[in-house]
Amino acid sequence: MAALYGGVEGGGTHSKAVLISEDGHILAETAGPSTNHWLVGMDKCLETINDMVSKAKLLAGVNPDIPLKSLGMSLSGGERQDVIGNLMQSRFPNLSEKYYITSDAIGAMATATDKGGIVLITGTGSNCTLVNLDGSVVGCGGWGHMMGDEGSAYWIAHLAIKMVFDTMDNFIVPPHDISKIKNAMFEYFQVADRMGMLTHLYRTFEKSQFAGFCQRVAEEASAGDRLSCYIFQRAGQVLARHIVAVLPKLDKVLLKGDLGLSILCVGSVWKSWDLLKDGFLDVLSEARRTPAGRDLTKLSLLKLRHSSAVGGASLGAKHVGHTLPLDYASNVDMLYSHHFE
């Protein structure tokens, strides 16, 4: 039987798996829930990966008991690489011969290009990774909702809800009226008052469900609510600050192509780019006044057409000595391009 390579994209809310033939064709794709072991536990993480990949084998007409040549996993919270790989090997010996585990950002980059750039993820959580041409990696964020996740769906939801609480306590004077956000909060969480919110905030807190309120804030912003627009502008600012944080370590070659600085945008919050744009560009325009940012004249925001599971599969194949022939140009779309004055 021809060699098959697997890839997994593991997110804080949703996950995906792919099977790819040795000539680079996607044979099957499956989806599943969160595989971030910090959120769901290691056992649930491993079981979900096994389920998704086993289902992909069946969809591709492959015997589930025949191991893949490699399984490359691009995981949110995937820093415990040796532990995850060894546990997968021992618990599911027929899933794959070899395992390669990397972060969600590196898997996304491997899906889009082999030339380096910046990955900026904002889904349930957020993080930023710079990959230089020499392979060096610099990160900012990715520490979870207790210590970061700035600009993410969780962060947006939390900021909106906290502004409601603080305004009702007369602790702050809000920049705009809170009525739309307050009513949306009570409706989304199905409570009548702030006391009802405490169960969702503490006793039954679930990060992905809490982050889902971001969608309601986006809807209010799109309908013209000024506070919701303000919150998304703030989100755009803090997302751009991730870029500013890694600029001092950026290889200047990455600024000189036709696209300028390529920023790969991953995660559902980028669907609201129009709401993020002003705050995002304001911060980067200001950064151009610094030594690290003065050579930044153009940037291109790119979106993946395919799951970063494809990049995971590619990295896994390289780990066992095979190069999958990926068409990088067909894996991305242009989200936005900007020339600075």
Side-chain angles (χ1 to χ4, degrees):
M1 188 184 77
L4 293 179
Y5 301 88
V8 170
E9 173 191 348
T13 302
H14 305 290
S15 301
K16 295 179 180 179
V18 299
L19 289 191
I20 300 180
S21 64
E22 59 188 346
D23 58 357
H25 290 95
I26 296 175
L27 303 178
E29 299 182 70
T30 57
S34 171
T35 47
N36 185 320
H37 65 87
W38 296 112
L39 298 177
V40 302
M42 187 62 77
D43 287 343
K44 183 63 175 176
C45 167
L46 302 182
E47 289 166 5
T48 298
I49 291 169
N50 179 64
D51 288 346
M52 290 193 301
V53 176
S54 297
K55 289 176 183 176
K57 286 182 178 181
L58 291 172
L59 286 175
V62 177
N63 185 339
D65 292 328
I66 297 178
L68 303 172
K69 285 296 182 183
S70 68
L71 179 61
M73 295 183 281
S74 166
L75 303 179
S76 168
E79 289 75 22
R80 298 174 66 186
Q81 299 176 6
D82 292 340
V83 173
I84 295 172
N86 290 337
L87 286 172
M88 290 296 298
Q89 195 78 64
S90 62
R91 290 190 56 179
F92 308 108
N94 294 329
L95 193 64
S96 181
E97 294 177 9
K98 298 290 183 180
Y99 293 90
Y100 181 85
I101 298 96
T102 189
S103 70
D104 47 358
I106 297 299
M109 180 64 74
T111 305
T113 181
D114 58 356
K115 304 298 184 185
I118 292 177
V119 182
L120 185 52
I121 297 176
T122 174
T124 305
S126 68
N127 70 80
C128 177
T129 302
L130 161 67
V131 181
N132 282 313
L133 286 173
D134 63 3
S136 61
V137 175
V138 180
C140 176
W143 302 112
H145 64 281
M146 292 294 289
M147 295 300 294
D149 278 348
E150 290 87 353
S152 69
Y154 169 84
W155 185 91
I156 290 167
H158 181 268
L159 179 59
I161 291 168
K162 182 162 174 55
M163 292 187 82
V164 171
F165 271 64
D166 288 350
T167 301
M168 294 179 73
D169 276 346
N170 198 34
F171 187 71
I172 66 167
V173 176
H176 304 286
D177 182 71
I178 67 168
S179 298
K180 294 288 188 180
I181 290 294
K182 181 178 71 173
N183 293 337
M185 178 184 78
F186 291 152
E187 181 181 336
Y188 177 82
F189 290 98
Q190 298 184 344
V191 298
D193 53 31
R194 286 185 294 167
M195 290 300 295
M197 285 292 298
L198 297 183
T199 297
H200 297 282
L201 293 171
Y202 300 106
R203 185 176 300 164
T204 63
F205 173 78
E206 183 182 339
K207 182 178 178 180
S208 60
Q209 192 257 353
F210 186 90
F213 182 60
C214 174
Q215 176 63 34
R216 291 300 306 272
V217 182
E219 290 169 1
E220 295 295 342
S222 296
D225 178 56
R226 295 179 68 189
L227 181 61
S228 301
C229 291
Y230 168 82
I231 290 168
F232 268 91
Q233 183 180 33
R234 287 274 306 275
Q237 291 169 349
V238 296
L239 287 170
R241 282 166 55 191
H242 288 77
I243 305 294
V244 175
V246 301
L247 281 179
K249 299 293 185 180
L250 180 83
D251 185 336
K252 301 302 183 186
V253 173
L254 295 177
L255 300 173
K256 296 179 179 178
D258 292 340
L259 298 179
L261 177 61
S262 293
I263 302 172
L264 183 61
C265 303
V266 179
S268 59
V269 177
W270 290 110
K271 294 177 182 178
S272 299
W273 165 244
D274 287 346
L275 302 173
L276 300 167
K277 181 171 66 175
D278 289 346
F280 189 87
L281 294 178
D282 284 348
V283 168
L284 291 181
S285 295
E286 186 68 25
R288 294 186 66 239
R289 301 178 184 180
T290 68
R294 63 189 174 200
D295 294 326
L296 177 61
T297 59
K298 182 180 180 181
L299 62 81
S300 296
L301 304 185
L302 307 175
K303 285 277 288 179
L304 290 177
R305 288 184 187 173
H306 298 295
S307 160
S308 61
V310 173
S314 175
L315 293 171
K318 287 181 181 178
H319 182 61
V320 297
H322 179 70
T323 299
L324 291 177
L326 300 184
D327 181 3
Y328 292 113
S330 69
N331 286 348
V332 294
D333 287 316
M334 181 74 72
L335 174 64
Y336 184 77
S337 181
H338 184 76
H339 282 274
F340 291 97
E341 297 295 334

